[in-house]
Amino acid sequence: MQGVLGSLCGMEFVTGTGERRLDYVRRGRGAPLLLIQGMAAHHELWGDELLSALEARFDIVAYDHRGIGRGDRADEPFTVADLADDAAAVIESVGWTDAHVLGASLGGMVTQELVLRHPGVVRSIALGCTWAGGSRGVISETSRRMVDAIATRDVEHGLRTSFEANLSRRYAAQEPGAREIYRRRALSVKVPVPVVLMQWAAAQAHDTTGRLGSIDVPALILHGTADAGIPVENALHLHDLLPAAQLELFEGAGHLFWWEDPERTAALLIAHCAG
């Protein structure tokens, strides 16, 4: 398995062979919880509000995908399955035998492949604002516009478009400082444009519709009803494919539902992982 080089309390270490440098943060104490972010995202976008609500119950590792931040460059195309292998390597490299996993957006696709490819390292899964792909999968034009905006390399244009794709109008109106907080967090870690475009290609090729029925770990599906990037129909489709999964909708919330309601997100994760 590919080794991982990470950061822990400001220090770096190497485990395994054939190392790939992936940056991550670790905090809290308790059951192991791996957080997997989405396209064009990184660990800072989980937000301190959510992590603070979780750290009393979980040993949290939030890592960045290949090519993001201080991680090694990613120059070759990759698949969601490749990213799932990265996630399995992170679990091994931080010293866990298995973990609860929360994946958001692209990270939710990675979580699906992780439990399918490496079932022994997954205790439970939480699939946030994501899709299973296939003929019933729905990706909005808003997501396409966001990717097009990022591809222009106009940072401010990309930030404006991604803010609108990720957070609901209701939240933006109620939180006057939301745009600046989003801007500051988004820019705090380097996300190369070529990596985002490869992530987009990987996400579009993702299809687990014929395989999700084999998953036998507890599953939780989380989705905002006002998600402009990956519409809520995808959560309903996932629930059709995983009928034993718990489905929780965040009424009026956008793609980053955990920003808009971190307390409910944390409460649902705690109950899910405990159960």
Side-chain angles (χ1 to χ4, degrees):
M1 183 177 290
Q2 186 94 287
V4 173
L5 174 64
S7 65
L8 174 59
C9 299
M11 300 179 67
E12 294 187 334
F13 66 95
V14 180
T15 62
T17 59
E19 289 82 9
R20 179 186 301 281
R21 182 185 299 264
L22 297 178
D23 199 28
Y24 66 88
V25 294
R26 189 172 189 173
R27 59 190 283 183
R29 176 179 292 182
L33 174 62
L34 185 69
L35 302 184
I36 309 179
Q37 262 294 355
M39 186 184 73
H42 50 74
H43 66 272
E44 288 289 343
L45 291 176
W46 289 112
D48 189 63
E49 298 83 358
L50 177 64
L51 299 187
S52 294
L54 293 172
E55 64 183 0
R57 300 292 190 98
F58 297 104
D59 176 11
I60 304 165
V61 168
Y63 75 97
D64 294 334
H65 291 296
R66 58 173 70 183
I68 303 296
R70 296 178 298 176
D72 286 342
R73 289 172 57 96
D75 296 319
E76 300 295 328
F78 48 78
T79 65
V80 172
D82 293 328
L83 299 181
D85 291 345
D86 289 349
V90 172
I91 290 172
E92 179 183 36
S93 294
V94 300
W96 294 338
T97 56
D98 55 17
H100 301 287
V101 184
L102 165 62
S105 197
L106 173 63
M109 304 174 214
V110 174
T111 300
Q112 294 165 52
E113 285 288 358
L114 173 64
V115 70
L116 289 166
R117 293 171 66 83
H118 306 276
V121 305
V122 179
R123 294 189 187 184
S124 71
I125 59 172
L127 305 174
C129 55
T130 192
W131 77 333
S135 60
R136 285 181 56 190
V138 181
I139 294 292
S140 72
E141 284 304 313
T142 300
S143 286
R144 300 178 195 280
R145 287 196 299 271
M146 182 183 74
V147 173
D148 289 344
I150 291 171
T152 67
R153 300 177 186 266
D154 181 332
V155 173
E156 296 304 323
H157 179 37
L159 284 170
R160 285 193 304 271
T161 307
S162 63
F163 180 85
E164 293 167 2
N166 282 317
L167 293 159
S168 70
R169 293 181 180 179
R170 180 193 66 183
Y171 180 77
Q174 292 175 347
E175 301 290 338
R179 285 183 181 272
E180 182 52 36
I181 293 171
Y182 180 82
R183 184 181 191 281
R184 184 172 67 249
R185 287 182 182 174
L187 294 179
S188 65
V189 174
K190 182 180 179 182
V191 181
V193 170
V195 174
V196 176
L197 299 181
M198 287 189 287
Q199 290 178 335
W200 174 243
Q204 293 215 294
H206 172 72
D207 185 352
T208 53
T209 55
R211 295 177 286 145
L212 289 182
S214 67
I215 293 175
D216 62 358
V217 301
L220 172 66
I221 300 168
L222 306 168
H223 216 109
T225 63
D227 191 328
I230 298 182
V232 70
E233 297 96 296
N234 293 286
L236 305 180
H237 182 211
L238 273 172
H239 196 229
D240 287 343
L241 297 168
L242 289 167
Q246 177 183 351
L247 172 63
E248 295 287 344
L249 301 180
F250 289 68
E251 189 63 37
H255 194 58
L256 304 189
F257 60 86
W258 66 90
W259 276 47
E260 303 193 28
D261 199 341
E263 294 176 355
R264 183 180 175 215
T265 303
L268 288 169
L269 279 172
I270 290 168
H272 169 64
C273 295

